[in-house]
């Protein structure tokens, strides 16, 4: 699913060959890997029967010319490239699903430690903290002066 989403977002304008990353990927990755795996280069553009059915390309030049002549739609090319990438990745995914590999992945990339929750202190009457401290000090001074006056004998 991730591969399909990434390929779906790739630039691939109808009939434009230059700067087309999807075609470049087919040329530089899919055709060579197909040749390594099966002995001959092959790429299948998957299409519904109503749009001509699947087309098998045995060389990149014919795929490029058909795309330039707009015989291959960008949507068909993208979905076919995504399917081919998933075919390449399936054995790797299966290998990493084993319990041994999952344990190895867990040891190599441990999950991040949970961050401690920070409890915010409530503000006191929307005053700045230094203003609250100043008021407390002023209140203490007033009490001290009142106590001195109470203890003073005016007789």
């Amino acid at each position: 699913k991730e591969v399909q989403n990434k390929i779906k977002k790739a630039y691939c304008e109808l009939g434009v060959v230059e700067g087309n990353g999807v075609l470049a990927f087919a040329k530089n990755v899919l055709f060579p890997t197909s040749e390594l795996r099966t002995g001959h280069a092959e790429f299948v553009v998957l299409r519904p029967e109503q749009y001509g059915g699947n087309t098998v390309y045995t060389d990149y030049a014919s795929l490029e010319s058909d795309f330039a002549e707009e015989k291959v739609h960008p949507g068909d090319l993208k979905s076919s490239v995504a399917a081919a990438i998933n075919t390449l990745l399936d054995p790797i995914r299966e290998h990493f699903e084993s319990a041994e590999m999952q344990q190895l992945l867990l040891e190599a990339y441990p999950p991040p430690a949970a961050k401690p929750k920070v409890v915010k202190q409530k503000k006191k009457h929307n005053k700045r903290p230094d203003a609250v401290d100043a008021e407390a000090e002023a209140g203490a001074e007033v009490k001290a002066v009142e106590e001195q006056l109470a203890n003073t004998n005016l007789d």
Side-chain angles (χ1 to χ4, degrees):
K1 198 70 173 171
E2 287 180 38
V3 172
Q4 290 172 339
N5 290 338
K6 295 285 184 182
I7 296 294
K8 198 179 284 188
K9 294 177 187 177
Y11 173 77
C12 185
E13 191 174 331
L14 182 65
V16 177
V17 175
E18 214 168 291
N20 190 325
V22 179
L23 276 175
F25 191 84
K27 176 183 179 181
N28 296 308
V29 176
L30 298 179
F31 276 102
T33 55
S34 171
E35 189 169 359
L36 287 174
R37 290 181 351 161
T38 62
H40 62 281
E42 181 178 281
F43 178 70
V44 180
V45 175
L46 307 169
R47 290 191 282 197
E49 286 297 324
Q50 65 189 25
Y51 298 113
N54 297 346
T55 305
V56 178
Y57 292 95
T58 56
D59 61 74
Y60 173 75
S62 59
L63 173 64
E64 184 180 279
S65 67
D66 280 358
F67 189 79
E69 295 170 7
E70 299 181 6
K71 292 179 181 177
V72 176
H73 189 271
D76 297 332
L77 179 64
K78 286 181 179 185
S79 64
S80 300
V81 167
I85 291 171
N86 282 326
T87 302
L88 288 174
L89 292 176
D90 283 342
I92 298 166
R93 289 180 181 138
E94 288 175 18
H95 179 72
F96 278 93
E97 286 178 359
S98 70
E100 178 185 347
M101 290 306 291
Q102 290 296 318
Q103 181 62 33
L104 184 62
L105 282 171
L106 187 61
E107 290 172 7
Y109 304 102
K115 294 180 182 178
K117 289 190 175 184
V118 177
V119 178
K120 293 183 179 180
Q121 301 216 356
K122 293 184 179 181
K123 294 180 181 178
K124 296 182 180 180
H125 308 290
N126 291 330
K127 294 181 182 177
R128 293 191 335 226
D130 55 339
V132 172
D133 292 341
E135 285 181 14
E137 289 177 15
E141 289 177 14
V142 169
K143 284 185 181 182
V145 170
E146 287 176 351
E147 285 178 16
Q148 285 179 351
L149 285 175
N151 292 337
T152 307
N153 286 334
L154 295 177
D155 292 333

